[in-house]
Amino acid sequence: MRFATPLVPARLIRRYMRFLSEMELDDGRVVTAHCPNPGSMMGLKDAGLRVWLEPNDDPRKKLDWGWRLVELPGGCVGIDTGCANRIVAEALTRGLAGLEGYDSIRPEVKYRDKSRVDFLLSGVGRRDCYLEVKSVTLSRTAGLAEFPDSVTARGAKHLADLAAMVAEGHRAVLLFLIQRSDCTRVSLARDLDPAYAAAFDAAQAAGVEVLCFDCAVSPEGITLRDAVPVV
């Protein structure tokens, strides 16, 4: 996935009100940027961090800037959770290990009670596959990514929904997408959300499959790279 508009470097002043951030551009201007991440962003919101912003001139948008990346010593981190589905969609059309051979790839399909699955994959003679994608950005140990970075009741509900689809005879897959360049494995942050961890264990026991892929992240774009282990 390439960014539609060249990104602009800046320095983070502060993230506030969850979806807003204050940035200083290299020319000294201070601007407000949309923060497209509802999580805690632990380790990614410290004042002074170098970040990358995407400018826009869409009159329908309230802000002229969108926050896309944080630059750390080990590489860039993609903080836009909305990019995860775009990255996976591109990979699915090329053929993604473990999810190949489906004739139809439908995004954002309604199912269960007030839920939408990120992708519904279907093909002649195959069980429908309900695919849920989770963007992973937290890392507290070198080389290890963790999910979630805060309590996510919604994430636990998604796991229960996937387990229910398996019970109905379908295939269900949870895909962790590490939007970092410096992690090669993923684990659950059980201390941050024990309820999600319990839901994850129950979903796996019910037959929900788990896949994880890392990414190459740069100011030019983010590309899904390799399958990595869940530990």
Side-chain angles (χ1 to χ4, degrees), residues 155-219:
K157 181 182 184 301
H158 288 160
L159 287 168
D161 288 338
L162 292 178
M165 301 318 293
V166 173
E168 293 181 14
H170 304 292
R171 184 185 180 196
V173 178
L174 175 67
L175 190 156
F176 289 125
L177 185 74
I178 304 175
Q179 287 201 67
R180 303 180 62 112
S181 302
D182 59 353
C183 292
T184 56
R185 62 197 194 282
V186 71
S187 181
L188 293 187
R190 293 179 178 272
D191 60 319
L192 298 182
D193 191 349
Y196 182 86
F200 177 90
D201 293 340
Q204 273 202 306
V208 175
E209 302 169 46
V210 181
L211 299 175
C212 183
F213 294 87
D214 67 354
C215 289
V217 184
S218 76

Side-chain angles (χ1 to χ4, degrees), residues 20-33:
L20 296 176
S21 58
E22 194 172 32
M23 307 290 189
E24 182 180 4
L25 304 180
D26 283 355
D27 63 8
R29 285 182 294 156
V30 174
V31 300
T32 300

Side-chain angles (χ1 to χ4, degrees), residues 14-231:
R14 62 177 179 139
R15 179 206 186 195
Y16 64 103
M17 293 178 64
R18 197 177 188 187
F19 293 111
L20 296 176
S21 58
E22 194 172 32
M23 307 290 189
E24 182 180 4
L25 304 180
D26 283 355
D27 63 8
R29 285 182 294 156
V30 174
V31 300
T32 300
H34 175 239
C35 176
N37 190 315
S40 73
M41 292 183 63
M42 186 186 303
L44 303 174
K45 60 182 181 182
D46 298 336
L49 282 174
R50 184 172 176 82
V51 300
W52 292 84
L53 310 179
E54 187 171 26
N56 78 80
D57 55 6
D58 187 340
R60 296 171 297 179
K61 294 184 177 181
K62 294 182 180 180
L63 298 175
D64 295 333
W65 302 91
W67 186 3
R68 298 292 176 260
L69 305 179
V70 171
E71 191 172 317
L72 299 177
C76 288
V77 181
I79 64 98
D80 186 348
T81 58
C83 284
N85 281 18
R86 291 167 56 194
I87 296 164
V88 171
E90 289 185 5
L92 286 170
T93 60
R94 295 194 304 266
L96 184 57
L99 296 168
E100 312 96 324
Y102 289 95
D103 304 317
S104 171
I105 303 170
R106 296 166 56 200
E108 294 293 325
V109 176
K110 291 182 180 180
Y111 81 127
R112 300 291 295 162
D113 180 26
K114 299 180 181 179
S115 289
R116 289 177 183 268
V117 70
D118 289 323
F119 297 96
L120 177 56
L121 314 181
S122 56
V124 177
R126 307 190 66 176
R127 292 181 297 158
D128 286 348
C129 178
Y130 289 78
L131 175 62
E132 184 72 28
V133 177
K134 295 300 181 188
S135 174
V136 183
T137 60
L138 173 64
S139 178
R140 296 179 290 178
T141 302
L144 176 67
E146 295 179 88
F147 184 88
D149 69 354
S150 59
V151 172
T152 172
R154 183 168 176 263
K157 181 182 184 301
H158 288 160
L159 287 168
D161 288 338
L162 292 178
M165 301 318 293
V166 173
E168 293 181 14
H170 304 292
R171 184 185 180 196
V173 178
L174 175 67
L175 190 156
F176 289 125
L177 185 74
I178 304 175
Q179 287 201 67
R180 303 180 62 112
S181 302
D182 59 353
C183 292
T184 56
R185 62 197 194 282
V186 71
S187 181
L188 293 187
R190 293 179 178 272
D191 60 319
L192 298 182
D193 191 349
Y196 182 86
F200 177 90
D201 293 340
Q204 273 202 306
V208 175
E209 302 169 46
V210 181
L211 299 175
C212 183
F213 294 87
D214 67 354
C215 289
V217 184
S218 76
E220 286 69 47
I222 305 175
T223 303
L224 185 148
R225 194 164 49 187
D226 298 313
V228 299
V230 180
V231 297

